[in-house]
Amino acid sequence: VMMNPLAPDAIVTSIPTPKRQRIYDPPHRNATKYPMLNSLNVDLMDVNANSKREAVLRELDAWYREHEKPMSFETSNHYKFLFIKVPVGKPLDSSYRVMKEYQMIEKFLEATFEGDDTLAKVECMLDYLLIRHKEAARHALENMGIIPKAMDVYEMASTMDHVSIGIKQWRSLVQCLKKFMHIDNVSVSEHAWRKLGSDVGAIKP
């Protein structure tokens, strides 16, 4: 409290400036663990403050998009990480549109694998699909006409009849396709073909 020299009877009260509040991570009480978050003077580390954390991420994402920069960070070990938005909890068609709009797969491949070795990038994706989703990936490639589908028993029998060959010639044809075209699954098994003959009549030896 001090007297105003221009008006001796008036008293001017000095109000101290509030100090910046320090927010600590409640479970750890470790202000050095998240120094930047602590400096924001917003309680972002409370377990119930998820809406505040999401708001910070939304604004960061908006800033990076406005400045046409990828949202990324580098660790103390000089590893760089790129944030890619992946839609969750949406119908397949909606997620597919978002993935195409934001080029998520392209960005992932370009960010993860440096260089122009496109073949290596594609093989990496196919490895993942064939290891984690082998049958679905094979069916998808067949439906797209990229790989031939295996003949069922009727298609196999019809082909053999059309070119007038028996099972011995068919075996030779299958061996050539496997050797020269790397087609491992040409048709159903010979056993299935013979079973069809027993059901519908005689077949060629």
Side-chain angles (χ1 to χ4, degrees):
V1 179
M2 62 181 179
M3 298 298 295
N4 186 344
L6 300 179
D9 296 332
I11 298 177
V12 178
T13 303
S14 176
I15 302 176
T17 303
K19 292 183 178 180
R20 180 178 289 273
Q21 182 184 3
R22 301 290 292 176
I23 306 299
Y24 298 98
D25 184 16
H28 305 287
R29 297 291 177 185
N30 187 351
T32 61
K33 187 175 183 180
Y34 306 107
M36 182 58 67
L37 293 179
N38 275 289
S39 69
L40 295 178
N41 195 29
V42 179
D43 191 355
L44 295 175
M45 289 171 287
D46 188 284
V47 292
N48 299 315
N50 194 54
S51 61
K52 295 179 181 179
R53 289 188 291 270
E54 289 183 352
V56 170
L57 290 174
R58 281 194 299 270
E59 292 189 9
L60 281 172
D61 174 60
W63 186 92
Y64 277 100
R65 283 189 288 109
E66 180 181 350
H67 292 81
E68 299 182 350
K69 295 179 179 293
M71 189 172 175
S72 61
F73 73 96
E74 186 172 315
T75 68
S76 57
N77 296 328
H78 305 294
Y79 288 105
K80 192 169 184 178
F81 292 86
L82 177 70
F83 286 95
I84 299 177
K85 292 188 297 185
V86 178
V88 295
K90 291 181 177 293
L92 180 60
D93 57 343
S94 177
S95 296
Y96 182 67
R97 286 197 302 271
V98 174
M99 290 178 70
K100 289 189 67 175
E101 179 182 354
Y102 290 99
Q103 299 181 318
M104 293 178 183
I105 295 178
E106 293 88 339
K107 289 180 179 178
F108 167 76
L109 290 174
E110 291 170 4
T112 306
F113 305 104
E114 294 184 355
D116 300 323
D117 193 348
T118 304
L119 179 59
K121 298 177 182 181
V122 172
E123 287 179 347
C124 178
M125 291 295 294
L126 289 177
D127 280 345
Y128 164 77
L129 292 173
L130 292 174
I131 291 173
R132 296 290 298 274
H133 310 285
K134 183 175 181 178
E135 290 303 317
R138 180 179 291 277
H139 287 314
L141 292 173
E142 289 175 352
N143 292 337
M144 296 169 70
I146 297 175
I147 62 173
K149 75 179 187 67
M151 295 183 187
D152 62 29
V153 66
Y154 300 102
E155 293 167 336
M156 176 181 173
S158 176
T159 301
M160 293 172 66
D161 181 68
H162 183 72
V163 295
S164 300
I165 62 174
I167 191 62
K168 292 182 179 179
Q169 291 87 349
W170 179 260
R171 290 175 191 154
S172 298
L173 175 62
V174 169
Q175 288 175 358
C176 290
L177 292 173
K178 288 183 176 181
K179 181 174 181 61
F180 300 118
M181 299 185 68
H182 306 290
I183 301 176
D184 294 327
N185 194 22
V186 178
S187 66
V188 295
S189 66
E190 183 178 325
H191 172 75
W193 173 78
R194 291 190 180 279
K195 186 175 184 303
L196 175 65
S198 65
D199 292 337
V200 300
I203 60 176
K204 295 181 180 181

